[in-house]
Amino acid sequence: MSVCTDAFRVPADAMARALGFPGFEYVTVPHPVASLTLPEVQERVREMMPRLLRILGVEQ
């Protein structure tokens, strides 16, 4: 499982194809993340959890 910011979706897809994993599923979060405060990071995690659990096949 991977998480990347939406600004890196194209390179992430290219790397997955180059490594033999076309269609690799990963979760994206809004870019940027480096300047976020802890509460903002926590909110991003809460927002991405449903997508992460879907990809992992965990029922909610």
Side-chain angles (χ1 to χ4, degrees), residues 1-25:
M1 172 53 52
S2 291
V3 177
C4 69
T5 64
D6 50 14
F8 294 99
R9 179 179 284 279
V10 171
D13 288 341
M15 180 155 309
R17 282 190 307 276
L19 294 173
F21 298 101
F24 181 78
E25 288 191 74

Side-chain angles (χ1 to χ4, degrees), residues 1 4 6 14 17 21 23 30 32 34 41 44 48 50-51 56 60:
M1 172 53 52
C4 69
D6 50 14
R17 282 190 307 276
F21 298 101
V41 170
R44 296 266 177 103
M48 80 171 183
R51 291 175 286 164
L56 294 174
Q60 297 183 39

Side-chain angles (χ1 to χ4, degrees), residues 18-58:
L19 294 173
F21 298 101
F24 181 78
E25 288 191 74
Y26 52 88
V27 175
T28 58
V29 295
H31 187 82
V33 294
S35 60
L36 298 178
T37 64
L38 179 57
E40 291 169 327
V41 170
Q42 292 168 330
E43 180 59 27
R44 296 266 177 103
V45 170
R46 278 191 288 279
E47 290 171 358
M48 80 171 183
M49 285 307 295
R51 291 175 286 164
L52 177 62
L53 294 172
R54 179 189 54 78
I55 290 171
L56 294 174
V58 177

